[in-house]
Amino acid sequence: MSDSEEHHFESKADAGASKTYPQQAGTIRKNGFIVIKGRPCKVVEVSTSKTGKHGHAKCHFVAIDIFNGKKLEDIVPSSHNCDVPHVNRTEYQLIDISEDGFVSLLTSDGNTKDDLRLPTDDTLLGQIKEGFDSGKDLVVTVQSAMGEEQICALKDVGPK
């Protein structure tokens, strides 16, 4: 190969930051996070069975999907690794709510973020619309994991 040859690589990958990390099933506790059937979930119940005749204690996880609230279950040998999602919570100030259900948020560096929908949870949705219509300064908490984002909490900072 000579130095004059050029190589062109087509890459559709991101920076290589993984959406999950491995953790031994026996070390995952209640209120922790776990990936079940490809969905990021919060663990609500963990039970561990005794070692059977084939030598593996098993962990039975009951977890709730952090984005759609569905209950999922999984049974994994306690010595095996499970995927655990990287879950981040970020606070943004609410600027505007559009007619089509998208929100406009102010990031900490002064830019706007316009790609998030209003939450599907009716009580949170009601609180956001009510607070916004009455002119309060609202700060929403956005939870993100595995490439998905959703508004999960609301804080009232006071009147504008």
Side-chain angles (χ1 to χ4, degrees):
M1 282 178 48
S2 69
D3 292 335
S4 63
E5 285 183 40
E6 285 188 36
H7 296 285
H8 295 285
F9 296 103
E10 278 195 37
S11 175
K12 293 178 178 65
D14 55 9
S18 176
K19 293 178 171 75
T20 63
Y21 60 94
Q23 185 174 342
Q24 193 171 334
T27 63
I28 296 173
R29 299 281 168 245
K30 187 178 173 181
N31 295 329
F33 295 100
I34 187 172
V35 176
I36 299 178
K37 295 183 181 126
R39 301 289 306 158
C41 301
K42 183 171 186 151
V43 178
V44 290
E45 188 182 320
V46 182
S47 56
T48 310
S49 67
K50 281 196 250 166
T51 52
K53 66 178 179 181
H54 295 294
H56 282 290
K58 295 213 173 16
C59 293
H60 176 242
F61 295 105
V62 178
I64 293 175
D65 189 312
I66 59 176
F67 293 121
N68 63 27
K70 287 196 175 120
K71 188 176 183 181
L72 295 165
E73 294 188 46
D74 201 7
I75 297 175
V76 186
S78 63
S79 58
H80 288 204
N81 280 350
C82 291
D83 281 336
V84 177
H86 289 285
V87 180
N88 293 321
R89 295 169 79 99
T90 318
E91 290 189 343
Y92 299 106
Q93 186 170 353
L94 181 67
I95 302 172
D96 192 24
I97 299 174
S98 64
E99 298 295 316
D100 56 0
F102 281 88
V103 292
S104 186
L105 304 171
L106 184 67
T107 63
S108 58
D109 58 4
N111 296 328
T112 57
K113 180 174 177 56
D114 302 308
D115 57 351
L116 268 176
R117 283 190 165 280
L118 281 166
T120 48
D121 178 30
D122 290 333
T123 52
L124 188 58
L125 178 65
Q127 288 173 340
I128 290 173
K129 283 189 169 173
E130 183 186 310
F132 183 73
D133 292 340
S134 63
K136 292 180 181 167
D137 255 347
L138 299 176
V139 172
V140 294
T141 304
V142 175
Q143 187 164 273
S144 62
M146 297 177 68
E148 284 185 67
E149 290 183 309
Q150 188 177 353
I151 295 172
C152 64
L154 174 71
K155 226 183 347 187
D156 183 2
V157 188
K160 282 187 178 169

